[in-house]
Structure formats: structure tokens, C-alpha cells
């Protein structure tokens, strides 16, 4: 298990470990499956963001994100970062903001969302948009 905040800023290392490709900027979540779908990283201060599918990642560790293949760069729709996002229940009630997200580094499955109002199980997540993360009222 790792937290999104632990992954942000980690170097992305290619299979030959020839040097970092960049540093992780964020993780994209597929709300339907409840998993991390993409790793986003920036190669240099002025470089554009690169998006790798989850399947390209070999391992997540405390020191780096190791990728198995860098040829699978994808173009994906705009992404909404979970960290700092406002939370609303499906009945429209505010439920604080997202502080962090725990996920399984082997499968990418979300485990829990840590909010300003406590912990939410990942199975309560319904959708993520421009305005808020929507969760099932509990």
C-alpha cells in the first residue's frame, strides 16, 4: 500500500535505469473500476506531461517508480486530481476535502480516501468531475 502523496515527486526510472525520465506529478483514477489507470510525470521543468498506462509500471517503491516500457505513452482525456478535491455525497451534502488516497501498488486498486472529515472506503466513490468527488452517502 502507498499513498498518493508518497508517489508525487518520485523519479520515474526506465527499465535500463539509465537515469530518471522525470518525476511523478499525479495519478489518474478510473472511477468505474476504482483503480489507478495512469501515471503522469513531467520530464523537465519546461517539458510537457507524459502519461503512461498503469500496465507500463513495474514497481512502485519508496525511492522510485520503475517502468517496464516507455513506448506505451498515451493521450488521455483531461484528468482531475483527487488530492485537494471537494467531496459531495450523492445527496448533495458536503463531506470535506480529499487529503490523501491509499492504493494497492500491485493492482492499482484504491483502498481508502482520507478526508478532512475522516476516512472513506473506496467502494463509496461514485464519480469525479471539475467541481467535486461524489461519494455514496453513508
Amino acid at each position: 500500500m502507498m499513498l498518493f502523496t508518497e508517489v508525487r515527486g518520485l523519479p520515474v526510472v526506465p527499465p535500463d535505469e539509465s537515469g530518471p525520465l522525470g518525476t511523478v506529478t499525479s495519478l489518474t483514477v478510473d472511477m468505474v473500476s476504482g483503480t489507478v489507470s495512469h501515471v503522469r510525470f513531467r520530464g523537465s521543468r519546461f517539458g510537457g506531461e507524459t502519461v503512461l498506462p498503469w500496465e507500463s509500471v513495474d514497481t512502485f517503491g519508496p525511492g522510485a517508480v520503475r517502468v517496464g516500457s516507455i513506448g506505451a505513452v498515451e493521450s488521455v482525456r483531461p484528468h482531475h486530481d483527487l488530492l485537494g478535491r471537494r467531496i459531495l455525497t450523492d445527496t448533495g451534502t458536503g463531506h470535506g476535502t480529499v487529503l490523501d488516497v491509499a492504493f494497492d501498488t500491485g493492482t492499482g486498486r484504491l483502498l481508502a480516501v482520507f478526508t478532512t472529515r475522516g476516512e472513506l472506503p473506496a467502494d463509496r466513490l461514485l464519480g469525479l468531475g471539475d467541481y467535486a468527488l461524489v461519494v455514496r452517502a453513508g
Side-chain angles (χ1 to χ4, degrees), residues 38-125:
H38 294 83
V39 175
R40 294 171 176 267
F41 68 93
R42 192 168 302 279
S44 71
R45 205 167 103 145
F46 301 108
E49 193 169 60
T50 301
V51 181
L52 290 174
W54 174 261
E55 296 77 26
S56 294
V57 176
D58 272 349
T59 59
F60 276 91
V65 174
R66 298 194 191 301
V67 295
S69 166
I70 54 174
V73 175
E74 284 190 10
S75 167
V76 296
R77 65 179 181 258
H79 121 107
H80 303 290
D81 198 346
L82 272 172
L83 298 178
R85 183 70 54 189
R86 172 179 299 132
I87 303 168
L88 293 175
T89 66
D90 54 356
T91 59
T93 305
H95 194 76
T97 57
V98 176
L99 297 174
D100 217 335
V101 181
F103 71 103
D104 181 310
T105 58
T107 64
R109 186 174 56 89
L110 300 185
L111 302 172
V113 176
F114 302 102
T115 77
T116 53
R117 299 178 88 190
E119 183 178 334
L120 287 172
D123 63 0
R124 288 187 47 199
L125 305 182

